[in-house]
Amino acid sequence: MFADASLTTRDGVELVSRVWRPQGNGPWPALLMRQPYGRALASTVTLPHPDWWSNHGFLVVVQDVRGQGDSGGSFRGFSVEAQDTADTLTWLREMPEVNGRIGMYGFSYQGLTQLLGPPDCPPPDCLAPAMCGLHEREHWSCEGNAHWWHLGLGWGLQLACLQARRRGDHAAWEEMRRSLEDGSYLREGIRLLERHDPEGMTLRWLKQTPEHDSEWIQHSMPHRWLQQPMLLLGGWWDPHLRGVIDLAEQARAAGGRPELHIGPATHLQWWEDSSRLLLHFFQRHLTSPSNAATDDLVAGDINVRLWDLVSESWCGPNDHQQDPNRAAIAPSTGALVDQPWHLCSQGLACLESEEGQILSSAPDHAGRVVIVHDPWRPVPSIGGHLSPNAGPCDRASLDRRSDVAVFTGESLKEAIALSGKPKLRILACADQPGFDLCVALSRLPLGTEAVQQLSTGLLRVRGQEALRLCEREVELQSLHATLRPGDRLRLSIAGAAWPAIGINPGEPAVACAAPSSDCHVISIALHLEMAQLSMLPLLSPQAMGTPAD
């Protein structure tokens, strides 16, 4: 059963919550979620309904954040959450139905509200932030010096619709909702946000320069909170994965012992066992805290579990792999760290799938490839972590386009584990003052025509710098995949990933947005003599409890 309750913050704003109580007599441990989407929803798009939690003995509190739902005040995004979280924790600790033990849970915005609190605020007993981060640029809105276009506009309009409904502006709600349904938000989204939510956080992000870090807010988590038991959930196809990994590193550096699970998940679709993973975490730390420390980790270690994208099974640094075709590898290392691979083409990598090559040693004549980006028919984004259809995909048809340069390796003689952050270093320039490098790393399974996309990444270059031939670095989304004997590795490079990112017009004075008459055809020259594909560690050796070299 549930009932609504409210508290008054120190500055006089009423925050409204819905409370689900277990049957019987308390007091009980409490689970708190603070979110902007309406307390009745309770993040059931990915998480169990509060009834499920209360049936397992937890008092559950789902709160409308300031300025959303029925809570008072004005919604200003992340800026006021730290103090409101502190006031809510104080209120919960004073409830007679709460036994003094509190855990926080939720993902995305509901993950961020777990991370922010005043330095002097006593922390919750444990936290389970999923798919979130602390840096507004790196973890919420940009990648490779480009704004998230589809995601940024879509989320901004969702928040703006909530505000329109709150003030009773049904016409504004209909206009924005219709743009999301028919796809016109990709062209009209900025104008709609300026009209209906001009002070919104996401509009501010879309108007900030992604290259200038000084313009962006990086939030901080109190040191004592980082030391608390923490369960971090991430997805290989989630845009906030970098934020989750950074949180694990920060907790480790503070002396915490976080658990990190990265699974086969997009932002809104998780793996089946994630609910029970969360339940067991809260039972260990809230119901039976004396039994919580059951592993042999020491302070500063990270307990890591990774989903292998090829074998479709879980693994960790101490697992004994039973499949002889899988290479055992710790998440702190990568097969390409010490031996980067090289690219080679004599100019036909955009037209012949086998002409561009990935080689284990540097060729004598690596060659050069020119990619022509036509904004009339930009290369679409597909699958991955930023596109509208995020997740696993077969990109074989995309790689057949003549504006995608394709480099393919030979059949592997033995299993190779790719674990970490792929990085491409390449000499590149363009004939216009602006270009993009949109890169995909894929697996060609033995005996099929499929191209299994494993990871994507991008780099945007703007201004006169784009005309100069120099080394560019593109860091791709982290991955964990064990390639099998007979498989082949492929790297694909294009000049667009629409609508994951807006079109680079090749003109610095024009904002990057939808294709328009202001966009130029851009020729991108790739000089391959220094091109290298390598693998950065997923986590530092110190995070894994192993000594650095």
Side-chain angles (χ1 to χ4, degrees), residues 27-367:
W28 305 280
L31 296 179
L32 170 64
M33 176 192 296
R34 303 190 57 251
Q35 53 77 56
Y37 305 111
R39 60 193 183 279
L41 187 61
S43 282
T44 49
V45 65
T46 59
L47 294 165
H49 190 275
D51 269 348
W52 186 79
W53 297 105
S54 65
N55 288 338
H56 284 88
F58 297 98
L59 180 141
V60 184
V61 177
V62 180
Q63 183 183 82
D64 293 335
V65 298
R66 179 184 297 241
Q68 293 283 19
D70 291 324
S71 288
S74 299
F75 180 65
R76 291 292 180 262
F78 299 161
S79 60
V80 298
E81 299 302 352
Q83 194 59 65
D84 285 353
T85 293
D87 289 349
T88 304
L89 289 173
T90 299
W91 172 70
L92 268 182
R93 292 187 176 106
E94 294 172 350
M95 275 190 179
E97 307 101 310
V98 176
N99 68 4
R101 302 199 66 80
I102 301 172
M104 296 186 70
Y105 78 116
F107 83 114
S108 198
Y109 197 104
Q110 299 84 272
L112 187 281
T113 56
Q114 300 174 55
L115 309 179
L116 304 183
D120 59 348
C121 177
D125 295 280
C126 58
L127 308 94
M131 300 181 178
C132 61
L134 289 165
H135 198 304
E136 293 189 1
R137 181 186 71 166
E138 297 297 322
H139 305 152
W140 289 95
S141 61
C142 299
E143 182 171 328
N145 292 332
H147 292 102
W148 299 348
W149 193 250
H150 148 72
L151 289 171
L153 290 173
W155 189 42
L157 289 168
Q158 180 185 7
L159 293 174
C161 280
L162 291 170
Q163 289 294 295
R165 179 181 180 184
R166 180 179 169 91
R167 63 179 181 265
D169 191 342
H170 303 296
W173 190 97
E174 289 288 346
E175 183 181 20
M176 290 185 285
R177 175 64 190 184
R178 190 175 296 112
S179 76
L180 291 167
E181 292 176 349
D182 63 20
S184 62
Y185 74 101
L186 296 171
R187 291 185 170 277
E188 302 296 329
I190 294 289
R191 179 185 62 80
L192 292 172
L193 290 173
E194 289 173 338
R195 179 188 301 175
H196 300 304
D197 194 17
E199 302 300 321
M201 178 175 61
T202 55
L203 180 61
R204 171 171 59 84
W205 291 344
L206 287 163
K207 291 192 170 185
Q208 289 178 198
T209 305
E211 296 97 334
H212 299 159
D213 187 61
S214 60
E215 297 181 10
W216 294 83
I217 298 172
Q218 181 167 0
H219 300 276
S220 60
M221 191 174 178
H223 186 79
R224 286 193 298 165
W225 293 42
L226 286 165
Q227 296 175 326
Q228 294 297 96
M230 190 183 304
L231 174 61
L232 295 164
L233 301 185
W236 294 127
W237 309 299
D238 177 66
H240 307 282
L241 179 57
R242 287 174 296 165
V244 171
I245 294 173
D246 282 357
L247 280 170
E249 293 277 16
Q250 287 193 40
R252 177 209 60 80
R257 299 168 55 190
E259 297 180 39
L260 173 63
H261 298 250
I262 306 177
T266 67
H267 196 59
L268 297 180
Q269 188 169 3
W270 296 7
W271 61 95
E272 287 187 358
D273 292 338
S274 57
S275 297
R276 297 199 178 276
L277 178 65
L278 285 161
L279 175 62
H280 295 158
F281 173 78
F282 288 127
Q283 287 175 332
R284 291 201 315 272
H285 295 288
L286 298 178
T287 305
S288 304
S290 60
N291 298 323
T294 58
D295 53 52
D296 58 358
L297 292 179
V298 298
D301 282 356
I302 298 177
N303 187 359
V304 181
R305 298 286 289 175
L306 304 178
W307 176 266
D308 192 303
L309 291 165
V310 175
S311 69
E312 298 185 347
S313 62
W314 289 97
C315 60
N318 300 317
D319 285 351
H320 298 287
Q321 307 297 346
Q322 302 300 317
D323 184 349
N325 290 328
R326 294 186 62 196
I329 190 166
S332 60
T333 63
L336 304 181
V337 172
D338 299 321
Q339 295 181 328
W341 289 1
H342 306 267
L343 305 184
C344 175
S345 170
Q346 300 310 310
L348 295 179
C350 292
L351 295 172
E352 299 180 6
S353 61
E354 299 296 328
E355 198 271 348
Q357 296 177 294
I358 296 178
L359 303 173
S360 58
S361 59
D364 293 334
H365 302 287

Side-chain angles (χ1 to χ4, degrees), residues 405-426:
V406 173
F407 304 88
T408 306
E410 295 182 349
S411 296
L412 297 174
K413 293 181 174 57
E414 60 184 5
I416 293 181
L418 305 179
S419 188
K421 306 171 186 177
K423 183 176 72 171
L424 173 66
R425 297 171 57 190
I426 194 167

Side-chain angles (χ1 to χ4, degrees), residues 11-24:
D11 62 347
V13 172
E14 182 183 27
L15 300 181
V16 179
S17 301
R18 183 154 292 176
V19 182
W20 285 261
R21 294 173 174 83
Q23 292 184 352

